[in-house]
mmCIF file with all atom_site columns, all heavy atoms in Angstrom:
data_model
loop_
_atom_site.group_PDB
_atom_site.id
_atom_site.type_symbol
_atom_site.label_atom_id
_atom_site.label_alt_id
_atom_site.label_comp_id
_atom_site.label_asym_id
_atom_site.label_entity_id
_atom_site.label_seq_id
_atom_site.pdbx_PDB_ins_code
_atom_site.Cartn_x
_atom_site.Cartn_y
_atom_site.Cartn_z
_atom_site.occupancy
_atom_site.B_iso_or_equiv
_atom_site.pdbx_formal_charge
_atom_site.auth_seq_id
_atom_site.auth_comp_id
_atom_site.auth_asym_id
_atom_site.auth_atom_id
_atom_site.pdbx_PDB_model_num
ATOM 1   N N   . ALA D 1 16 ? -8.613  -12.640 -5.440 1.00 0.00 ? 57 ALA D N   1
ATOM 2   C CA  . ALA D 1 16 ? -7.737  -11.565 -4.974 1.00 0.00 ? 57 ALA D CA  1
ATOM 3   C C   . ALA D 1 16 ? -7.718  -11.547 -3.462 1.00 0.00 ? 57 ALA D C   1
ATOM 4   O O   . ALA D 1 16 ? -6.633  -11.338 -2.844 1.00 0.00 ? 57 ALA D O   1
ATOM 5   C CB  . ALA D 1 16 ? -8.199  -10.228 -5.540 1.00 0.00 ? 57 ALA D CB  1
ATOM 6   N N   . GLU D 1 17 ? -8.868  -11.731 -2.810 1.00 0.00 ? 58 GLU D N   1
ATOM 7   C CA  . GLU D 1 17 ? -8.918  -11.760 -1.347 1.00 0.00 ? 58 GLU D CA  1
ATOM 8   C C   . GLU D 1 17 ? -8.135  -12.940 -0.798 1.00 0.00 ? 58 GLU D C   1
ATOM 9   O O   . GLU D 1 17 ? -7.398  -12.808 0.207  1.00 0.00 ? 58 GLU D O   1
ATOM 10  C CB  . GLU D 1 17 ? -10.376 -11.865 -0.891 1.00 0.00 ? 58 GLU D CB  1
ATOM 11  C CG  . GLU D 1 17 ? -11.189 -10.644 -1.100 1.00 0.00 ? 58 GLU D CG  1
ATOM 12  C CD  . GLU D 1 17 ? -12.676 -10.852 -0.886 1.00 0.00 ? 58 GLU D CD  1
ATOM 13  O OE1 . GLU D 1 17 ? -13.160 -11.998 -0.939 1.00 0.00 ? 58 GLU D OE1 1
ATOM 14  O OE2 . GLU D 1 17 ? -13.389 -9.814  -0.694 1.00 0.00 ? 58 GLU D OE2 1
ATOM 15  N N   . LEU D 1 18 ? -8.249  -14.102 -1.440 1.00 0.00 ? 59 LEU D N   1
ATOM 16  C CA  . LEU D 1 18 ? -7.530  -15.268 -0.986 1.00 0.00 ? 59 LEU D CA  1
ATOM 17  C C   . LEU D 1 18 ? -6.054  -15.065 -1.120 1.00 0.00 ? 59 LEU D C   1
ATOM 18  O O   . LEU D 1 18 ? -5.253  -15.359 -0.192 1.00 0.00 ? 59 LEU D O   1
ATOM 19  C CB  . LEU D 1 18 ? -7.955  -16.515 -1.795 1.00 0.00 ? 59 LEU D CB  1
ATOM 20  C CG  . LEU D 1 18 ? -7.277  -17.808 -1.456 1.00 0.00 ? 59 LEU D CG  1
ATOM 21  C CD1 . LEU D 1 18 ? -7.551  -18.221 -0.001 1.00 0.00 ? 59 LEU D CD1 1
ATOM 22  C CD2 . LEU D 1 18 ? -7.662  -18.879 -2.406 1.00 0.00 ? 59 LEU D CD2 1
ATOM 23  N N   . ASP D 1 19 ? -5.614  -14.525 -2.241 1.00 0.00 ? 60 ASP D N   1
ATOM 24  C CA  . ASP D 1 19 ? -4.201  -14.259 -2.462 1.00 0.00 ? 60 ASP D CA  1
ATOM 25  C C   . ASP D 1 19 ? -3.663  -13.298 -1.408 1.00 0.00 ? 60 ASP D C   1
ATOM 26  O O   . ASP D 1 19 ? -2.585  -13.543 -0.822 1.00 0.00 ? 60 ASP D O   1
ATOM 27  C CB  . ASP D 1 19 ? -4.014  -13.698 -3.880 1.00 0.00 ? 60 ASP D CB  1
ATOM 28  C CG  . ASP D 1 19 ? -2.565  -13.607 -4.286 1.00 0.00 ? 60 ASP D CG  1
ATOM 29  O OD1 . ASP D 1 19 ? -1.872  -14.671 -4.193 1.00 0.00 ? 60 ASP D OD1 1
ATOM 30  O OD2 . ASP D 1 19 ? -2.096  -12.542 -4.687 1.00 0.00 ? 60 ASP D OD2 1
ATOM 31  N N   . SER D 1 20 ? -4.367  -12.250 -1.162 1.00 0.00 ? 61 SER D N   1
ATOM 32  C CA  . SER D 1 20 ? -3.935  -11.257 -0.137 1.00 0.00 ? 61 SER D CA  1
ATOM 33  C C   . SER D 1 20 ? -3.895  -11.919 1.266  1.00 0.00 ? 61 SER D C   1
ATOM 34  O O   . SER D 1 20 ? -2.937  -11.699 2.028  1.00 0.00 ? 61 SER D O   1
ATOM 35  C CB  . SER D 1 20 ? -4.904  -10.059 -0.152 1.00 0.00 ? 61 SER D CB  1
ATOM 36  O OG  . SER D 1 20 ? -4.534  -9.173  0.878  1.00 0.00 ? 61 SER D OG  1
ATOM 37  N N   . PHE D 1 21 ? -4.912  -12.667 1.606  1.00 0.00 ? 62 PHE D N   1
ATOM 38  C CA  . PHE D 1 21 ? -4.972  -13.357 2.899  1.00 0.00 ? 62 PHE D CA  1
ATOM 39  C C   . PHE D 1 21 ? -3.767  -14.272 3.076  1.00 0.00 ? 62 PHE D C   1
ATOM 40  O O   . PHE D 1 21 ? -3.096  -14.232 4.107  1.00 0.00 ? 62 PHE D O   1
ATOM 41  C CB  . PHE D 1 21 ? -6.304  -14.126 3.029  1.00 0.00 ? 62 PHE D CB  1
ATOM 42  C CG  . PHE D 1 21 ? -6.376  -14.962 4.252  1.00 0.00 ? 62 PHE D CG  1
ATOM 43  C CD1 . PHE D 1 21 ? -6.568  -14.390 5.506  1.00 0.00 ? 62 PHE D CD1 1
ATOM 44  C CD2 . PHE D 1 21 ? -6.273  -16.349 4.160  1.00 0.00 ? 62 PHE D CD2 1
ATOM 45  C CE1 . PHE D 1 21 ? -6.633  -15.207 6.630  1.00 0.00 ? 62 PHE D CE1 1
ATOM 46  C CE2 . PHE D 1 21 ? -6.345  -17.151 5.283  1.00 0.00 ? 62 PHE D CE2 1
ATOM 47  C CZ  . PHE D 1 21 ? -6.536  -16.570 6.549  1.00 0.00 ? 62 PHE D CZ  1
ATOM 48  N N   . LEU D 1 22 ? -3.518  -15.124 2.102  1.00 0.00 ? 63 LEU D N   1
ATOM 49  C CA  . LEU D 1 22 ? -2.426  -16.095 2.223  1.00 0.00 ? 63 LEU D CA  1
ATOM 50  C C   . LEU D 1 22 ? -1.043  -15.377 2.282  1.00 0.00 ? 63 LEU D C   1
ATOM 51  O O   . LEU D 1 22 ? -0.154  -15.845 2.941  1.00 0.00 ? 63 LEU D O   1
ATOM 52  C CB  . LEU D 1 22 ? -2.461  -17.135 1.086  1.00 0.00 ? 63 LEU D CB  1
ATOM 53  C CG  . LEU D 1 22 ? -3.653  -18.065 1.156  1.00 0.00 ? 63 LEU D CG  1
ATOM 54  C CD1 . LEU D 1 22 ? -3.697  -18.928 -0.082 1.00 0.00 ? 63 LEU D CD1 1
ATOM 55  C CD2 . LEU D 1 22 ? -3.603  -18.934 2.413  1.00 0.00 ? 63 LEU D CD2 1
ATOM 56  N N   . ALA D 1 23 ? -0.946  -14.268 1.549  1.00 0.00 ? 64 ALA D N   1
ATOM 57  C CA  . ALA D 1 23 ? 0.327   -13.534 1.530  1.00 0.00 ? 64 ALA D CA  1
ATOM 58  C C   . ALA D 1 23 ? 0.620   -12.875 2.872  1.00 0.00 ? 64 ALA D C   1
ATOM 59  O O   . ALA D 1 23 ? 1.768   -12.699 3.226  1.00 0.00 ? 64 ALA D O   1
ATOM 60  C CB  . ALA D 1 23 ? 0.306   -12.467 0.429  1.00 0.00 ? 64 ALA D CB  1
ATOM 61  N N   . GLU D 1 24 ? -0.417  -12.528 3.637  1.00 0.00 ? 65 GLU D N   1
ATOM 62  C CA  . GLU D 1 24 ? -0.195  -11.837 4.910  1.00 0.00 ? 65 GLU D CA  1
ATOM 63  C C   . GLU D 1 24 ? -0.073  -12.778 6.104  1.00 0.00 ? 65 GLU D C   1
ATOM 64  O O   . GLU D 1 24 ? 0.400   -12.365 7.174  1.00 0.00 ? 65 GLU D O   1
ATOM 65  C CB  . GLU D 1 24 ? -1.270  -10.794 5.180  1.00 0.00 ? 65 GLU D CB  1
ATOM 66  C CG  . GLU D 1 24 ? -2.612  -11.377 5.496  1.00 0.00 ? 65 GLU D CG  1
ATOM 67  C CD  . GLU D 1 24 ? -3.739  -10.330 5.588  1.00 0.00 ? 65 GLU D CD  1
ATOM 68  O OE1 . GLU D 1 24 ? -3.731  -9.377  4.858  1.00 0.00 ? 65 GLU D OE1 1
ATOM 69  O OE2 . GLU D 1 24 ? -4.634  -10.564 6.413  1.00 0.00 ? 65 GLU D OE2 1
ATOM 70  N N   . GLN D 1 25 ? -0.503  -14.027 5.984  1.00 0.00 ? 66 GLN D N   1
ATOM 71  C CA  . GLN D 1 25 ? -0.436  -14.966 7.101  1.00 0.00 ? 66 GLN D CA  1
ATOM 72  C C   . GLN D 1 25 ? 0.944   -15.607 7.199  1.00 0.00 ? 66 GLN D C   1
ATOM 73  O O   . GLN D 1 25 ? 1.705   -15.615 6.245  1.00 0.00 ? 66 GLN D O   1
ATOM 74  C CB  . GLN D 1 25 ? -1.503  -16.046 6.938  1.00 0.00 ? 66 GLN D CB  1
ATOM 75  C CG  . GLN D 1 25 ? -2.930  -15.490 6.963  1.00 0.00 ? 66 GLN D CG  1
ATOM 76  C CD  . GLN D 1 25 ? -3.250  -14.751 8.241  1.00 0.00 ? 66 GLN D CD  1
ATOM 77  O OE1 . GLN D 1 25 ? -2.999  -15.240 9.348  1.00 0.00 ? 66 GLN D OE1 1
ATOM 78  N NE2 . GLN D 1 25 ? -3.790  -13.562 8.092  1.00 0.00 ? 66 GLN D NE2 1
ATOM 79  N N   . ARG D 1 26 ? 1.232   -16.208 8.326  1.00 0.00 ? 67 ARG D N   1
ATOM 80  C CA  . ARG D 1 26 ? 2.520   -16.768 8.595  1.00 0.00 ? 67 ARG D CA  1
ATOM 81  C C   . ARG D 1 26 ? 2.489   -18.244 9.008  1.00 0.00 ? 67 ARG D C   1
ATOM 82  O O   . ARG D 1 26 ? 3.417   -18.983 8.697  1.00 0.00 ? 67 ARG D O   1
ATOM 83  C CB  . ARG D 1 26 ? 3.153   -15.943 9.702  1.00 0.00 ? 67 ARG D CB  1
ATOM 84  C CG  . ARG D 1 26 ? 4.523   -16.364 10.112 1.00 0.00 ? 67 ARG D CG  1
ATOM 85  C CD  . ARG D 1 26 ? 5.001   -15.420 11.198 1.00 0.00 ? 67 ARG D CD  1
ATOM 86  N NE  . ARG D 1 26 ? 6.336   -15.727 11.598 1.00 0.00 ? 67 ARG D NE  1
ATOM 87  C CZ  . ARG D 1 26 ? 7.042   -14.972 12.386 1.00 0.00 ? 67 ARG D CZ  1
ATOM 88  N NH1 . ARG D 1 26 ? 6.513   -13.874 12.877 1.00 0.00 ? 67 ARG D NH1 1
ATOM 89  N NH2 . ARG D 1 26 ? 8.262   -15.296 12.705 1.00 0.00 ? 67 ARG D NH2 1
ATOM 90  N N   . THR D 1 27 ? 1.440   -18.637 9.707  1.00 0.00 ? 68 THR D N   1
ATOM 91  C CA  . THR D 1 27 ? 1.373   -19.996 10.262 1.00 0.00 ? 68 THR D CA  1
ATOM 92  C C   . THR D 1 27 ? 0.197   -20.764 9.675  1.00 0.00 ? 68 THR D C   1
ATOM 93  O O   . THR D 1 27 ? -0.910  -20.225 9.543  1.00 0.00 ? 68 THR D O   1
ATOM 94  C CB  . THR D 1 27 ? 1.254   -19.942 11.803 1.00 0.00 ? 68 THR D CB  1
ATOM 95  O OG1 . THR D 1 27 ? 2.313   -19.131 12.346 1.00 0.00 ? 68 THR D OG1 1
ATOM 96  C CG2 . THR D 1 27 ? 1.301   -21.331 12.433 1.00 0.00 ? 68 THR D CG2 1
ATOM 97  N N   . CYS D 1 28 ? 0.437   -22.027 9.386  1.00 0.00 ? 69 CYS D N   1
ATOM 98  C CA  . CYS D 1 28 ? -0.606  -22.892 8.896  1.00 0.00 ? 69 CYS D CA  1
ATOM 99  C C   . CYS D 1 28 ? -0.586  -24.186 9.764  1.00 0.00 ? 69 CYS D C   1
ATOM 100 O O   . CYS D 1 28 ? 0.313   -24.418 10.529 1.00 0.00 ? 69 CYS D O   1
ATOM 101 C CB  . CYS D 1 28 ? -0.403  -23.232 7.425  1.00 0.00 ? 69 CYS D CB  1
ATOM 102 S SG  . CYS D 1 28 ? 1.078   -24.209 7.065  1.00 0.00 ? 69 CYS D SG  1
ATOM 103 N N   . ARG D 1 29 ? -1.627  -24.981 9.561  1.00 0.00 ? 70 ARG D N   1
ATOM 104 C CA  . ARG D 1 29 ? -1.676  -26.288 10.173 1.00 0.00 ? 70 ARG D CA  1
ATOM 105 C C   . ARG D 1 29 ? -1.721  -27.314 9.080  1.00 0.00 ? 70 ARG D C   1
ATOM 106 O O   . ARG D 1 29 ? -2.539  -27.226 8.159  1.00 0.00 ? 70 ARG D O   1
ATOM 107 C CB  . ARG D 1 29 ? -2.947  -26.419 11.051 1.00 0.00 ? 70 ARG D CB  1
ATOM 108 C CG  . ARG D 1 29 ? -2.872  -25.597 12.328 1.00 0.00 ? 70 ARG D CG  1
ATOM 109 C CD  . ARG D 1 29 ? -4.268  -25.315 12.883 1.00 0.00 ? 70 ARG D CD  1
ATOM 110 N NE  . ARG D 1 29 ? -4.393  -24.187 13.742 1.00 0.00 ? 70 ARG D NE  1
ATOM 111 C CZ  . ARG D 1 29 ? -4.130  -22.929 13.447 1.00 0.00 ? 70 ARG D CZ  1
ATOM 112 N NH1 . ARG D 1 29 ? -3.637  -22.566 12.309 1.00 0.00 ? 70 ARG D NH1 1
ATOM 113 N NH2 . ARG D 1 29 ? -4.319  -21.955 14.336 1.00 0.00 ? 70 ARG D NH2 1
ATOM 114 N N   . VAL D 1 30 ? -0.785  -28.251 9.128  1.00 0.00 ? 71 VAL D N   1
ATOM 115 C CA  . VAL D 1 30 ? -0.616  -29.246 8.084  1.00 0.00 ? 71 VAL D CA  1
ATOM 116 C C   . VAL D 1 30 ? -1.130  -30.585 8.583  1.00 0.00 ? 71 VAL D C   1
ATOM 117 O O   . VAL D 1 30 ? -0.712  -31.070 9.620  1.00 0.00 ? 71 VAL D O   1
ATOM 118 C CB  . VAL D 1 30 ? 0.909   -29.362 7.701  1.00 0.00 ? 71 VAL D CB  1
ATOM 119 C CG1 . VAL D 1 30 ? 1.082   -30.397 6.644  1.00 0.00 ? 71 VAL D CG1 1
ATOM 120 C CG2 . VAL D 1 30 ? 1.462   -27.993 7.248  1.00 0.00 ? 71 VAL D CG2 1
ATOM 121 N N   . ALA D 1 31 ? -2.082  -31.169 7.840  1.00 0.00 ? 72 ALA D N   1
ATOM 122 C CA  . ALA D 1 31 ? -2.660  -32.467 8.174  1.00 0.00 ? 72 ALA D CA  1
ATOM 123 C C   . ALA D 1 31 ? -2.131  -33.562 7.257  1.00 0.00 ? 72 ALA D C   1
ATOM 124 O O   . ALA D 1 31 ? -2.183  -33.400 6.038  1.00 0.00 ? 72 ALA D O   1
ATOM 125 C CB  . ALA D 1 31 ? -4.179  -32.412 8.134  1.00 0.00 ? 72 ALA D CB  1
ATOM 126 N N   . THR D 1 32 ? -1.585  -34.600 7.865  1.00 0.00 ? 73 THR D N   1
ATOM 127 C CA  . THR D 1 32 ? -1.080  -35.765 7.140  1.00 0.00 ? 73 THR D CA  1
ATOM 128 C C   . THR D 1 32 ? -1.767  -37.026 7.702  1.00 0.00 ? 73 THR D C   1
ATOM 129 O O   . THR D 1 32 ? -2.423  -36.942 8.750  1.00 0.00 ? 73 THR D O   1
ATOM 130 C CB  . THR D 1 32 ? 0.461   -35.883 7.278  1.00 0.00 ? 73 THR D CB  1
ATOM 131 O OG1 . THR D 1 32 ? 0.782   -36.026 8.672  1.00 0.00 ? 73 THR D OG1 1
ATOM 132 C CG2 . THR D 1 32 ? 1.140   -34.670 6.702  1.00 0.00 ? 73 THR D CG2 1
ATOM 133 N N   . VAL D 1 33 ? -1.525  -38.162 7.034  1.00 0.00 ? 74 VAL D N   1
ATOM 134 C CA  . VAL D 1 33 ? -2.084  -39.394 7.484  1.00 0.00 ? 74 VAL D CA  1
ATOM 135 C C   . VAL D 1 33 ? -0.960  -40.452 7.429  1.00 0.00 ? 74 VAL D C   1
ATOM 136 O O   . VAL D 1 33 ? -0.248  -40.566 6.433  1.00 0.00 ? 74 VAL D O   1
ATOM 137 C CB  . VAL D 1 33 ? -3.245  -39.866 6.651  1.00 0.00 ? 74 VAL D CB  1
ATOM 138 C CG1 . VAL D 1 33 ? -3.800  -41.212 7.112  1.00 0.00 ? 74 VAL D CG1 1
ATOM 139 C CG2 . VAL D 1 33 ? -4.382  -38.828 6.683  1.00 0.00 ? 74 VAL D CG2 1
ATOM 140 N N   . SER D 1 34 ? -0.856  -41.234 8.529  1.00 0.00 ? 75 SER D N   1
ATOM 141 C CA  . SER D 1 34 ? 0.202   -42.282 8.562  1.00 0.00 ? 75 SER D CA  1
ATOM 142 C C   . SER D 1 34 ? -0.278  -43.486 7.744  1.00 0.00 ? 75 SER D C   1
ATOM 143 O O   . SER D 1 34 ? -1.434  -43.579 7.352  1.00 0.00 ? 75 SER D O   1
ATOM 144 C CB  . SER D 1 34 ? 0.450   -42.708 10.002 1.00 0.00 ? 75 SER D CB  1
ATOM 145 O OG  . SER D 1 34 ? -0.669  -43.330 10.541 1.00 0.00 ? 75 SER D OG  1
ATOM 146 N N   . ALA D 1 35 ? 0.636   -44.413 7.506  1.00 0.00 ? 76 ALA D N   1
ATOM 147 C CA  . ALA D 1 35 ? 0.329   -45.607 6.732  1.00 0.00 ? 76 ALA D CA  1
ATOM 148 C C   . ALA D 1 35 ? -0.822  -46.416 7.333  1.00 0.00 ? 76 ALA D C   1
ATOM 149 O O   . ALA D 1 35 ? -1.611  -47.048 6.626  1.00 0.00 ? 76 ALA D O   1
ATOM 150 C CB  . ALA D 1 35 ? 1.567   -46.491 6.585  1.00 0.00 ? 76 ALA D CB  1
ATOM 151 N N   . ASP D 1 36 ? -0.928  -46.352 8.681  1.00 0.00 ? 77 ASP D N   1
ATOM 152 C CA  . ASP D 1 36 ? -2.007  -47.084 9.340  1.00 0.00 ? 77 ASP D CA  1
ATOM 153 C C   . ASP D 1 36 ? -3.282  -46.273 9.520  1.00 0.00 ? 77 ASP D C   1
ATOM 154 O O   . ASP D 1 36 ? -4.190  -46.686 10.221 1.00 0.00 ? 77 ASP D O   1
ATOM 155 C CB  . ASP D 1 36 ? -1.551  -47.717 10.663 1.00 0.00 ? 77 ASP D CB  1
ATOM 156 C CG  . ASP D 1 36 ? -1.205  -46.666 11.709 1.00 0.00 ? 77 ASP D CG  1
ATOM 157 O OD1 . ASP D 1 36 ? -1.347  -45.468 11.451 1.00 0.00 ? 77 ASP D OD1 1
ATOM 158 O OD2 . ASP D 1 36 ? -0.802  -47.064 12.811 1.00 0.00 ? 77 ASP D OD2 1
ATOM 159 N N   . GLY D 1 37 ? -3.307  -45.087 8.900  1.00 0.00 ? 78 GLY D N   1
ATOM 160 C CA  . GLY D 1 37 ? -4.521  -44.271 8.895  1.00 0.00 ? 78 GLY D CA  1
ATOM 161 C C   . GLY D 1 37 ? -4.666  -43.308 10.032 1.00 0.00 ? 78 GLY D C   1
ATOM 162 O O   . GLY D 1 37 ? -5.656  -42.571 10.130 1.00 0.00 ? 78 GLY D O   1
#
Side-chain angles (χ1 to χ4, degrees):
E58 290 168 339
L59 179 63
D60 191 53
S61 177
F62 173 74
L63 292 173
E65 71 186 35
Q66 298 301 311
R67 180 179 183 172
T68 305
C69 65
R70 288 158 203 61
V71 179
T73 59
V74 179
S75 67
D77 66 0

